[in-house]
């Protein structure tokens, strides 16, 4: 009896609860965790929190506290923010997510703290070079973010 060999390619279905939109910290964490095929307890170990904490974040029962944001950002590889945010709104958001004071962040990106304050208040705008760096977040995410580096 002849056999007919046929190959069928099907994309693997997304896991239950896979986020369709990325609105919250929990959505970003769950998507990245599922993409990496990690268990919630694996992520919890990586971030230094309990499994219950990761579950609460992913279900949007709680938001991560500021002290966890640098580790979360390092895990994600980017800083999640609203696409429509202006530069003056985005700067303090990114800076606070990473746990930097204005002075420390100004040193990190190589500007005077007074200049950064003006940018964050919308009094002045960064030039294209700084805007490009901040949009790409290469300044922030280049190298590892270490405790006490802020």
């Amino acid at each position: 009896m002849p056999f007919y060999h046929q190959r069928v390619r099907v994309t693997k279905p997304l896991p239950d609860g896979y986020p369709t939109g990325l609105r919250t910290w929990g959505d970003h964490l769950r998507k990245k965790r599922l993409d990496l095929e990690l268990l919630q307890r694996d992520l919890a170990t990586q971030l230094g929190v309990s499994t219950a904490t990761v579950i609460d974040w992913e279900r949007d029962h709680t938001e991560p506290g500021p002290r966890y944001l640098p580790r979360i950002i390092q895990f994600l590889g980017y800083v999640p923010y609203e696409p429509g945010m202006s530069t003056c709104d985005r700067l303090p958001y990114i800076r606070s997510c990473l746990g930097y004071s204005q002075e420390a962040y100004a040193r990190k990106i190589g500007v005077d703290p007074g200049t950064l304050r003006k940018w964050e208040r919308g009094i002045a705008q960064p030039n294209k070079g700084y805007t490009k760096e901040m949009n790409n977040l290469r300044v922030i995410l280049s190298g590892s973010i270490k405790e006490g580096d802020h």
Side-chain angles (χ1 to χ4, degrees):
M1 189 167 173
F3 290 97
Y4 180 71
H5 296 285
Q6 183 178 7
R7 224 177 239 189
V8 178
R9 292 186 185 237
V10 180
T11 56
K12 185 177 176 182
L14 296 173
D16 288 340
Y18 192 87
T20 54
L22 300 176
R23 296 175 293 109
T24 65
W25 285 98
D27 292 340
H28 287 274
L29 283 169
R30 184 168 183 83
K31 180 186 182 310
K32 179 76 171 194
R33 180 181 64 78
L34 292 172
D35 288 346
L36 296 174
E37 298 180 0
L38 294 174
L39 299 173
Q40 287 170 323
R41 71 171 174 247
D42 298 331
L43 177 57
T45 301
Q46 221 176 323
L47 297 177
V49 298
S50 70
T51 304
T53 299
V54 170
I55 291 168
D56 284 344
W57 290 343
E58 288 188 358
R59 292 182 179 168
D60 296 323
H61 292 167
T62 60
E63 289 267 325
R67 71 181 190 186
Y68 300 112
L69 296 183
R71 284 181 257 170
I72 291 171
I73 290 165
Q74 199 164 20
F75 169 73
L76 294 173
Y78 61 92
V79 179
Y81 57 83
E82 299 286 328
M85 276 182 143
S86 68
T87 302
C88 68
D89 291 334
R90 193 176 330 149
L91 274 172
Y93 174 77
I94 292 169
R95 180 178 55 76
S96 65
C97 284
L98 294 170
Y100 284 100
S101 66
Q102 275 186 332
E103 291 75 23
Y105 189 63
R107 278 193 311 271
K108 181 81 172 169
I109 63 173
V111 298
D112 180 72
T115 301
L116 180 61
R117 271 191 287 283
K118 288 178 183 175
W119 291 350
E120 288 186 0
R121 290 181 185 156
I123 296 170
Q125 292 291 316
N127 66 30
K128 287 183 181 183
Y130 285 113
T131 304
K132 185 176 179 182
E133 281 183 25
M134 289 180 286
N135 285 340
N136 292 335
L137 302 173
R138 290 191 179 130
V139 170
I140 298 164
L141 296 172
S142 61
S144 61
I145 300 168
K146 299 177 187 76
E147 295 295 324
D149 190 28
H150 314 152

